[in-house]
Amino acid sequence: LQFAQPVQTCAIPIWLSELQGLPGDVVDLSSLVEAGMVPYRTLKAKLVASGEVTRAWTVRGVGVTAGARRLIEQAGGTIVT
């Protein structure tokens, strides 16, 4: 009898303030996994506004709230869908 892996149904929230120590300027699932912010089997993550953004990130393949989008774009970053 084999057990199926649970399916991730919701995005893991990541607070923008947690990203300040993230190396590099690209935020995607692989960079979040490498930084230990999400488990390696994560399918979805979502950036949530908190604090202030001082770096211009390029966000790829990660969901963002409206507030997080505003803060990232104000800092000169871009959201790539």
Side-chain angles (χ1 to χ4, degrees):
L1 179 59
Q2 293 184 355
F3 294 98
Q5 293 292 326
V7 176
Q8 180 184 350
T9 58
C10 61
I12 295 177
I14 305 292
W15 303 104
L16 288 179
S17 58
E18 296 175 0
L19 294 180
Q20 297 304 325
L22 191 70
D25 294 329
V26 176
V27 178
D28 56 13
L29 278 178
S30 63
S31 66
L32 294 173
V33 168
E34 287 176 20
M37 295 181 169
V38 296
Y40 76 97
R41 289 184 179 246
T42 299
L43 301 175
K44 296 187 271 184
K46 189 169 200 172
L47 301 180
V48 180
S50 69
E52 57 183 61
V53 176
T54 57
R55 295 171 48 196
W57 292 306
T58 299
V59 179
R60 291 190 181 124
V62 177
V64 292
T65 63
R69 176 181 293 275
R70 182 176 38 80
L71 291 173
I72 292 166
E73 290 175 346
Q74 283 177 354
T78 57
I79 313 294
V80 180
T81 55

